[in-house]
Amino acid sequence: MEGKVDAAQVEEVINVAKSLNPTEIIVALAILVIGIILSKLAVKVIDKVLKKYKVVPAVTTMLMTIIRFILYMIVVMIAANSAGIPVTSFVAVFSVVGIAISLALQGILSNLAGGLIIMTVKTFEIGQFVEVDGYNGTVTDINMMYTRLLAPDGRIIFIPNSKTYTNRLINYSMNPQRRIELTVSASYDNTPEEVKKALMDAVSHVPQILSDPAPVFHLENYGDSAITYSLWAWVKGSDFLNAKYSLNEELYAAFNRNHVEMTYPHLRVHMENPTNA
């Protein structure tokens, strides 16, 4: 009948109660009290750590509830075992609850793990310019759940830590220097020496460009209507964009000063007068 208590279960409870002795009960109660006190201390320490790393308050509350439940379950199981009470049922319930919690919080736990990895490995720090998951910007905040970037156009980008440590990450600020790479085309009418002189002239008008390592010039290839040259120049990471744009402007002016023709795709046709028969 529904709601009826099984006689075998009642008998098992009675037998367990009879088997208990005062000493075991006192020990179990002592373990229970001490365990609860230690659990509360552990919860306070964990709470302070989460607040230190600026975990979202709602997430902190949820995590603390879960941690408190787990600690109390462990204390109850230890106390029950010391009193001689079978803990098999406790273990089964605890396992089911643990699986349910882990599935429900899979994304949150993944972000928390990512936050710990980022703070431990230190692939980037606040103030550095990085590219993560296809987005780039200056790191303005790193907490246990997400990384915040300030994009060059002023957008604020929040990237979950699970993506930050699993996707490709480029740190543009870890090396104090960055290399500008530019490609220009010049006419076949100008010699490589003339073009390199014009490139050096442009470099000399950009003060952010470093002398060590020295700028490098290469003749890349011979095209149909022009020769392609490449220019490599090193600058401080913080000067990269300004120096690159300044160098682009100076290249045009330097080519004009040095009479180097900056070409574009075109077709040159030579006409000859036919000889009279």
Side-chain angles (χ1 to χ4, degrees):
M1 183 182 297
E2 189 174 3
K4 185 178 179 180
V5 179
D6 192 353
Q9 293 177 342
V10 174
E11 185 178 355
E12 182 180 356
V13 171
I14 294 172
N15 290 333
V16 170
K18 288 180 179 179
S19 64
L20 296 176
N21 60 65
T23 303
E24 290 177 338
I25 294 175
I26 293 173
V27 171
L29 289 174
I31 292 174
L32 189 63
V33 172
I34 295 173
I36 291 175
I37 294 173
L38 293 177
S39 297
K40 289 182 177 180
L41 292 175
V43 167
K44 288 182 179 180
V45 172
I46 296 171
D47 184 51
K48 288 182 179 179
V49 172
L50 293 177
K51 289 180 178 178
K52 177 181 178 181
Y53 289 105
K54 301 178 183 178
V55 179
V56 178
V59 176
T60 300
T61 302
M62 181 172 54
L63 287 175
M64 296 312 301
T65 301
I66 295 171
I67 293 171
R68 191 179 293 108
F69 172 78
I70 293 173
L71 292 176
Y72 287 173
M73 279 289 295
I74 293 173
V75 170
V76 171
M77 289 171 60
I78 294 174
N81 185 64
S82 67
I85 301 174
V87 296
T88 306
S89 57
F90 285 100
V91 175
V93 172
F94 186 73
S95 300
V96 172
V97 173
I99 293 173
I101 290 174
S102 63
L103 291 175
L105 302 178
Q106 186 175 5
I108 294 176
L109 295 175
S110 179
N111 286 332
L112 289 173
L116 290 173
I117 292 173
I118 293 169
M119 294 174 185
T120 303
V121 180
K122 294 184 178 180
T123 51
F124 57 85
E125 298 177 354
I126 292 177
Q128 293 183 334
F129 191 87
V130 300
E131 180 179 334
V132 184
D133 195 28
Y135 299 95
N136 57 59
T138 303
V139 180
T140 58
D141 186 34
I142 305 170
N143 59 45
M144 296 295 289
M145 296 302 297
Y146 60 83
T147 297
R148 184 171 63 189
L149 304 181
L150 174 61
D153 60 3
R155 291 177 298 163
I156 303 296
I157 303 171
F158 296 89
I159 302 178
N161 287 334
S162 59
K163 291 184 176 292
T164 303
Y165 81 95
T166 56
N167 290 352
R168 186 188 71 171
L169 185 148
I170 302 175
N171 190 327
Y172 293 102
S173 300
M174 186 170 286
N175 189 336
Q177 298 175 348
R178 287 187 64 183
R179 188 175 70 189
I180 298 173
E181 298 181 5
L182 296 179
T183 301
V184 294
S185 297
S187 170
Y188 276 96
D189 294 333
N190 295 110
T191 65
E193 288 73 18
E194 290 174 335
V195 177
K196 290 182 179 180
K197 180 182 177 183
L199 293 174
M200 181 64 75
D201 184 13
V203 167
S204 66
H205 284 78
V206 181
Q208 296 97 327
I209 293 179
L210 303 175
S211 58
D212 185 20
V216 179
F217 310 96
H218 298 284
L219 193 157
E220 285 284 344
N221 57 64
Y222 296 93
D224 294 333
S225 57
I227 301 176
T228 302
Y229 297 84
S230 64
L231 165 61
W232 295 353
W234 291 87
V235 296
K236 293 181 180 179
S238 56
D239 295 334
F240 179 78
L241 288 178
N242 289 334
K244 181 178 179 179
Y245 296 143
S246 297
L247 183 57
N248 267 325
E249 295 177 1
E250 291 297 335
L251 280 173
Y252 185 83
F255 271 42
N256 286 334
R257 286 194 298 268
N258 291 273
H259 308 292
V260 174
E261 182 183 357
M262 192 174 289
T263 61
Y264 53 88
H266 63 278
L267 177 65
R268 180 176 294 180
V269 179
H270 296 275
M271 301 293 294
E272 295 182 0
N273 293 324
T275 56
N276 295 327

